Amino acid sequence: MEALIPVINKLQDVFNTVGSDSIQLPQIVVLGSQSSGKSSVIESVVGRSFLPRGTGIVTRRPLVLQLIYCPLDDRENRSAENGTSNAEEWGRFLHTKKCFTDFDEIRREIENETERAAGNNKGICPEPINLKIFSTRVVNLTLVDLPGITKVPVGDQPEDIEAQIKDLVLKYIENPNSIILAVTAANTDMATSEALKLGKDVDPDGRRTLAVVTKLDLMDAGTDAIDILCGRVIPVKLGIIGVMNRSQKDINDQKHIDEQMKDEAAFLQRKYPTLATRNGTPYLAKTLNRLLMHHIRDCLPDLKTRVNIMSTQFQSLLNSYGEDVSDKSQTLLQIITKFASAYNATIEGTARNIETTELCGGARICYIFHETFGRVLDSIHPLAGLSKMDILTAIRNATGPRPALFVPEVSFELLVKRQIRRLEEPSLRCVELIHEEMQRIVQHCGNEVQQEMLRFPKLHEKIVDVVTQLLRRRLPATNVMVENIVAIELAYINTKHPDFHKDAALVPSLLKTDNDPYSQMGQRRANTPRNHMSPQVSSHTTASQQQQQQQQNNQQQQQQQNDGHEQNHVGENSSQSLAGSWLSNILPPAPTRPDSIENSASNTPVHNNLVSPVKPVNLLPDVPANHNPRRLTDKEQKDCDVIERLIKSYFYIVRKSIQDSVPKAIMHFLVNHVKDNLQSELVTHLYKSDRAETLLNESDHIAVRRKEAADMLKALTRANHIISEIRETHMW
């Protein structure tokens, strides 16, 4: 059992050499309020005065103190080189290899190290000071001296000094492998002990908390600590031990600790004769040694498991950093091939380490094609930015100086091309998004490749540059192809498209009503001159002429209703230029104004009398936006409806074609081309013998991390070996 504590000391040395605190070893944490006597208890256990003294907060850094029993015949720890062959006791710090035989020098070294890390403003520092004391009179222990708990900052201490100290204390006492030594002064109320309160918070069962009552000789006259030491005030499972410290006068007079131990024993025999054998500094040291050994025995199995787990982790980490490169040309070719394969696998979705938190590679490309690009195209309305007046203006401009009886084909082509051009911008934006994703895949092409890239930063930089240049060269060709797809649709408006022809055949149903709306419109226009003639015209028109005009209108209307063949013949003669038009086969003939027929058949002065009172509407593009256009006539409304219907039908056909053709063009000209030529591009630009030496220069960061991982793995292997030796001796 006695060999367990030296084993922990060896393990502590192993982990101190690599600067790791990832494994929490069994140790005794000394906890107490400021000026409660913690330092005096530690000095009494050591038997030497070596800790800094003064007013206010003195211990401002954790002190990890390893007490090692070292008899004179111990050749493992004694050496003639450092002058410790025949020394009874000496100390050695972790930050320096010097051996200190003068304990006053040890005190000064602690003060200097404290000021170096924590400054001289009474602040604290969580970085510990490691000190080993070898002696022929100590028991094997590992103690941690912490700053005293304080409430109010004094002097130039930070305002949050209480929170800083509490966080530091909790870091050590929350370790399940630590024993809490709660120090409380006897001349204070035990119920107000901060040390016991914190110990109870982290150790509610009290399985690893031991209480120490100091300053027994300073209690008020007529009082004693029997109830406290017997646990009748506040019970502590591991017990309560009382000690007597040196007073400040004794310290100033440099009273030796051996003399203090004699005075303590005499005081306990005189004041507490029944409890003298279970109190005092010697009993405290033996109790701590016993508790620590039993605690180590209980912790070693879990400690071995933890060491094995960490060994596996650091072995994997070391493997990921790779070994030193011997053949750089071969290694360079292997990395290039691995990167190209990982890049293509990310696009194809066959990578071994598939991302689960976000879309990347081929999945994101698919999402851009069918979700982003498709949604944008669906949001473009066929008639967006196209008003009724725009359509009517296009129809009028397409007819020239002669009024048209049918909707001209040119107006439809002009307007539908204008709408199709709006599909070019989202198509080019789709190319840009795919290009960005192809560039981003470089950062998502597998963990193994990422390790190589981190290991060789110059090679990583060159690979990224080659991929970027390849993508940039393919971007113009892809954009041109996408632009050509839209240009092809604009080059030829295929009015014989099967889907469009079906919709166009439904246009007559849009123009027809139950009572032939064009005939009704002709009747209303025939009645317009009679009902809306100006007073001057009506004064020159005789009653007989009006009656004759009315009879002729009625006869013409009856003739239009009964003789459709004759009406069609008139329509064909009036629009001879559109005889072969694509709309002439699907639209009903336009009605002929009766007054126009009559005026062309006779030389009566009626033409001069039918002056329209309606002002002409300005249909030019420079009409102000807030211009309120006139109300469209029935024929104009029908013409606009026809054009709108046809634009929608043809626009949907073109949009569907572009939505299918653009992704195919991007895949062929950009994605697949990069996949097929990536490795050859990398080999052409990077696989050169004169550049392999430069490209495979390892990162300083990776070199440091590899050394740290190797040192940690070596330490863990050694620790595992030490624990296994103890297991072989059946010590637990």
Side-chain angles (χ1 to χ4, degrees):
M1 289 290 292
E2 289 291 337
L4 287 178
I5 296 179
V7 167
I8 294 300
N9 291 335
K10 291 180 180 179
L11 292 177
Q12 187 69 54
D13 294 341
V14 168
F15 294 120
N16 285 340
T17 55
V18 294
S20 173
D21 57 354
S22 55
I23 293 185
Q24 299 171 326
L25 298 174
Q27 56 192 3
I28 299 172
V29 181
V30 183
L31 174 65
S33 300
Q34 186 173 304
S35 301
S36 60
K38 303 188 310 304
S39 298
S40 296
V41 170
I42 294 175
E43 288 181 340
S44 298
V45 172
V46 176
R48 282 286 190 171
S49 178
F50 65 96
L51 295 176
R53 295 283 182 171
T55 59
I57 183 171
V58 178
T59 304
R60 297 189 288 130
R61 287 181 63 181
L63 176 64
V64 179
L65 177 62
Q66 292 177 264
L67 302 181
I68 300 174
Y69 173 68
C70 185
L72 293 176
D73 58 351
D74 186 357
R75 298 306 176 191
E76 181 180 356
N77 296 313
R78 295 178 179 272
S79 173
E81 297 178 358
N82 51 29
T84 60
S85 298
N86 299 318
E88 291 189 359
E89 50 192 356
W90 70 93
R92 188 169 64 217
F93 290 93
L94 178 64
H95 61 271
T96 177
K97 296 182 179 180
K98 179 182 177 181
C99 292
F100 296 85
T101 56
D102 187 352
F103 281 82
D104 290 335
E105 292 185 10
I106 294 178
R107 179 187 299 109
R108 287 191 293 269
E109 186 66 23
I110 294 174
E111 292 174 348
N112 294 335
E113 277 296 301
T114 300
E115 291 183 359
R116 181 188 62 81
N120 52 9
N121 63 343
K122 300 297 183 181
I124 65 170
C125 176
E127 183 183 352
I129 299 175
N130 292 84
L131 172 62
K132 285 184 179 182
I133 292 182
F134 302 85
S135 176
T136 58
R137 300 183 301 172
V138 298
V139 294
N140 292 312
L141 287 177
T142 300
L143 302 170
V144 181
D145 186 19
L146 296 176
I149 302 172
T150 184
K151 292 291 185 182
V152 181
V154 296
D156 53 357
Q157 284 182 341
E159 293 295 329
D160 61 340
I161 187 66
E162 179 185 1
Q164 290 185 23
I165 294 177
K166 186 175 180 180
D167 293 341
L168 178 60
V169 168
L170 289 175
K171 174 185 175 182
Y172 281 89
I173 65 176
E174 285 178 346
N175 174 13
N177 294 335
S178 65
I179 295 176
I180 302 172
L181 188 63
V183 179
T184 304
N187 57 357
T188 60
D189 191 350
M190 286 282 289
T192 62
S193 174
E194 284 291 329
L196 290 175
K197 180 180 181 301
L198 289 176
K200 188 174 181 61
D201 291 341
V202 300
D203 181 31
D205 297 334
R207 295 179 179 179
R208 54 188 183 91
T209 301
L210 175 67
V212 175
V213 179
T214 60
K215 303 180 181 180
L216 291 176
D217 56 328
L218 298 183
M219 297 185 68
D220 295 338
T223 61
D224 57 40
I226 292 180
D227 292 340
I228 296 175
L229 297 177
C230 292
R232 291 193 285 265
V233 177
I234 296 179
V236 179
K237 184 173 291 188
L238 294 184
I240 302 175
I241 300 176
V243 297
M244 188 181 74
N245 301 331
R246 291 182 300 170
S247 64
Q248 187 62 43
K249 183 176 182 302
D250 295 336
I251 295 173
N252 295 336
D253 294 341
Q254 297 183 353
K255 181 180 179 180
H256 200 275
I257 292 182
D258 291 341
E259 297 179 6
Q260 172 63 24
M261 302 281 279
K262 295 178 182 179
D263 294 342
E264 180 189 47
F267 173 80
L268 291 174
Q269 286 291 343
R270 183 179 68 256
K271 189 71 175 179
Y272 307 99
T274 59
L275 303 176
T277 56
R278 289 178 294 170
N279 290 277
T281 300
Y283 180 78
L284 174 62
K286 293 179 182 179
T287 301
L288 291 176
N289 179 266
R290 175 177 54 83
L291 290 176
L292 185 58
M293 284 190 298
H294 286 284
H295 195 63
I296 292 171
R297 182 192 61 188
D298 297 336
C299 294
L300 273 180
D302 292 338
L303 186 62
K304 179 176 176 60
T305 302
R306 176 63 176 162
V307 168
N308 290 334
I309 293 175
M310 291 190 63
S311 297
T312 304
Q313 293 174 347
F314 276 91
Q315 183 64 57
S316 300
L317 182 62
L318 187 61
N319 293 337
S320 66
Y321 292 142
E323 299 179 356
D324 293 336
V325 179
S326 57
D327 188 348
K328 293 193 174 182
S329 297
Q330 181 180 359
T331 303
L332 179 59
L333 183 59
Q334 290 175 351
I335 295 176
I336 289 175
T337 304
K338 186 186 297 184
F339 175 82
S341 300
Y343 189 91
N344 293 340
T346 304
I347 296 177
E348 295 294 337
T350 58
R352 287 186 295 176
N353 299 314
I354 297 178
E355 184 68 40
T356 59
T357 58
E358 64 173 351
L359 294 178
C360 65
R364 185 180 286 271
I365 292 174
C366 180
Y367 183 86
I368 294 172
F369 283 156
H370 303 291
E371 297 294 334
T372 306
F373 180 56
R375 186 167 55 249
V376 172
L377 290 187
D378 291 341
S379 66
I380 300 177
H381 194 272
L383 301 177
L386 200 61
S387 64
K388 295 281 188 180
M389 297 306 297
D390 294 335
I391 298 175
L392 187 58
T393 301
I395 294 174
R396 293 289 180 87
N397 289 335
T399 59
R402 293 167 296 181
L405 296 179
F406 304 101
V407 179
E409 181 180 357
V410 177
S411 62
F412 163 73
E413 291 192 6
L414 174 67
L415 295 173
V416 79
K417 287 182 178 180
R418 170 181 169 182
Q419 299 305 103
I420 292 174
R421 286 191 183 93
R422 301 178 67 241
L423 300 175
E424 183 177 3
E425 181 179 355
S427 300
L428 294 176
R429 176 57 181 163
C430 181
V431 177
E432 183 180 350
L433 291 176
I434 299 301
H435 176 267
E436 292 175 358
E437 178 58 25
M438 296 286 287
Q439 186 70 47
R440 199 173 72 96
I441 292 177
V442 178
Q443 309 300 329
H444 294 80
C445 56
N447 294 330
E448 295 182 2
V449 181
Q450 289 298 315
Q451 290 294 338
E452 300 292 345
M453 298 300 100
L454 292 175
R455 183 181 179 187
F456 306 111
K458 292 184 179 179
L459 177 60
H460 181 210
E461 180 182 349
K462 291 297 182 182
I463 288 178
V464 173
D465 184 61
V466 171
V467 176
T468 302
Q469 294 299 327
L470 178 59
L471 290 171
R472 285 179 180 175
R473 291 199 304 270
R474 298 306 305 168
L475 186 59
T478 309
N479 285 332
V480 169
M481 184 59 196
V482 171
E483 292 172 352
N484 287 338
I485 290 176
V486 179
I488 289 171
E489 297 292 344
L490 293 172
Y492 180 66
I493 305 300
N494 184 15
T495 56
K496 289 296 184 179
H497 193 284
D499 296 336
F500 179 72
H501 188 68
K502 294 177 182 179
D503 291 337
L506 299 177
V507 173
S509 63
L510 179 67
L511 299 175
K512 290 181 180 180
T513 59
D514 295 338
N515 296 323
D516 195 353
Y518 277 90
S519 299
Q520 296 177 359
M521 181 176 62
Q523 182 180 2
R524 287 194 300 270
R525 291 178 178 175
N527 295 333
T528 299
R530 184 190 66 182
N531 297 331
H532 298 282
M533 287 189 296
S534 63
Q536 295 177 354
V537 175
S538 61
S539 62
H540 292 84
T541 305
T542 62
S544 60
Q545 289 175 335
Q546 294 179 0
Q547 184 177 4
Q548 183 182 4
Q549 180 70 28
Q550 180 65 32
Q551 292 175 355
Q552 291 176 351
N553 291 341
N554 292 337
Q555 292 175 359
Q556 183 67 27
Q557 182 178 359
Q558 185 67 26
Q559 183 181 0
Q560 291 173 352
Q561 293 176 353
N562 298 330
D563 193 2
H565 175 73
E566 183 178 354
Q567 185 183 27
N568 291 337
H569 181 70
V570 173
E572 291 174 359
N573 293 335
S574 302
S575 57
Q576 206 169 22
S577 62
L578 298 177
S581 173
W582 56 280
L583 286 176
S584 62
N585 297 324
I586 60 175
L587 297 180
T592 305
R593 291 172 55 95
D595 52 343
S596 300
I597 296 175
E598 183 177 352
N599 291 338
S600 62
S602 62
N603 295 324
T604 58
V606 176
H607 175 72
N608 296 329
N609 295 332
L610 296 178
V611 179
S612 176
V614 181
K615 295 182 179 180
V617 178
N618 183 9
L619 298 179
L620 297 179
D622 58 352
V623 176
N626 58 357
H627 176 68
N628 187 16
R630 63 172 174 82
R631 183 177 181 181
L632 300 181
T633 64
D634 291 343
K635 183 178 184 305
E636 292 171 343
Q637 182 65 41
K638 294 297 182 180
D639 292 345
C640 291
D641 292 341
V642 170
I643 293 296
E644 288 182 355
R645 176 67 178 268
L646 297 177
I647 289 175
K648 285 183 180 180
S649 176
Y650 197 81
F651 182 85
Y652 288 141
I653 295 172
V654 174
R655 187 177 70 180
K656 183 179 179 181
S657 175
I658 288 180
Q659 190 170 353
D660 178 65
S661 300
V662 168
K664 292 178 179 178
I666 296 175
M667 286 297 297
H668 176 71
F669 284 88
L670 182 62
V671 179
N672 291 340
H673 188 277
V674 171
K675 284 172 48 183
D676 297 339
N677 296 275
L678 177 59
Q679 183 168 353
S680 61
E681 287 285 329
L682 292 173
V683 171
T684 301
H685 292 84
L686 301 181
Y687 188 61
K688 298 178 181 179
S689 58
D690 56 337
R691 301 186 62 183
E693 190 75 23
T694 304
L695 294 176
L696 293 182
N697 283 337
E698 198 170 38
S699 169
D700 294 338
H701 172 71
I702 294 298
V704 172
R705 293 294 299 273
R706 182 193 293 105
K707 185 179 183 304
E708 292 177 352
D711 293 343
M712 189 64 189
L713 182 61
K714 186 184 298 183
L716 290 169
T717 303
R718 185 179 173 190
N720 194 16
H721 180 68
I722 293 173
I723 297 175
S724 298
E725 284 183 349
I726 299 178
R727 186 173 184 176
E728 290 174 359
T729 58
H730 304 287
M731 289 189 174
W732 80 71

